Amino acid sequence: MSHRPPAPSGRVTSAKIVIAGGFGVGKTTLVGSVSEITPLTTEAIMTSAGVGVDDTRQVPGKTTTTVAMDFGRISIDRDLILYLFGTPGQTRFWFMWDELVRGAIGAVVLVDTRRLADCFAAIDFFEHRRLPYLVAINCFDGMQYHDPQDVRDALAISSDVPVVACDARNRESTKHVLISLVEYVLTMRRSRAVAPA
């Protein structure tokens, strides 16, 4: 009786996902909640230099801020690994965004419905670059105050862009957001592949 070596497992695919949104919306929390490695963060203590630049009125307990990026990794299954790159939220760090999105398959725009206007720049950025994105409503305190369709209408985004609710602190919730984005990207790619030229 001969023994065959086990069949090689499927090829592992990795993909880059960008996590964006306004200042203090929960990007670092989202990356940290779902990452299977200790996330790399570039959190710095907010100093007097940020007074008048960073609006902390809506996030009064915030004492640190991302100054470059957050990085994490999650294996969706044994064949798909997602690398997560969280952007800094303040406008003075937006010069880094072009580098952070290079090679990304898509983005999550995390929103706080108390400060919806803070995510407009991220949405404009991804739409201008034709990078697929979804909107994730961060349900602070575990409460969803607005219906996803109302958020879609307020943001004036296309009906095909997914809008989902999540709790950035909860691993399963954030994993669902990432899976939803990957599914959306795959659907978009399939529809482009079959579209007449």
Side-chain angles (χ1 to χ4, degrees), residues 16-69:
K16 179 179 182 179
I17 303 284
V18 174
I19 312 298
F23 172 65
V25 76
K27 299 174 298 292
T28 299
T29 301
L30 185 148
V31 171
S33 75
V34 77
S35 182
E36 61 199 15
I37 62 170
T38 301
L40 167 69
T41 63
T42 57
E43 290 284 292
I45 294 173
M46 296 175 67
T47 66
S48 59
V51 173
V53 178
D54 299 326
D55 183 0
T56 59
R57 289 177 296 192
Q58 295 293 324
V59 283
K62 188 162 180 62
T63 59
T64 62
T65 189
T66 301
V67 296
M69 68 173 192

Side-chain angles (χ1 to χ4, degrees), residues 58 112 114 138-145 166-169:
Q58 295 293 324
D112 177 349
R114 299 169 297 185
N138 193 359
C139 298
F140 290 88
D141 303 319
M143 299 294 297
Q144 181 178 337
Y145 295 102
C166 77
D167 181 340
R169 302 165 300 178

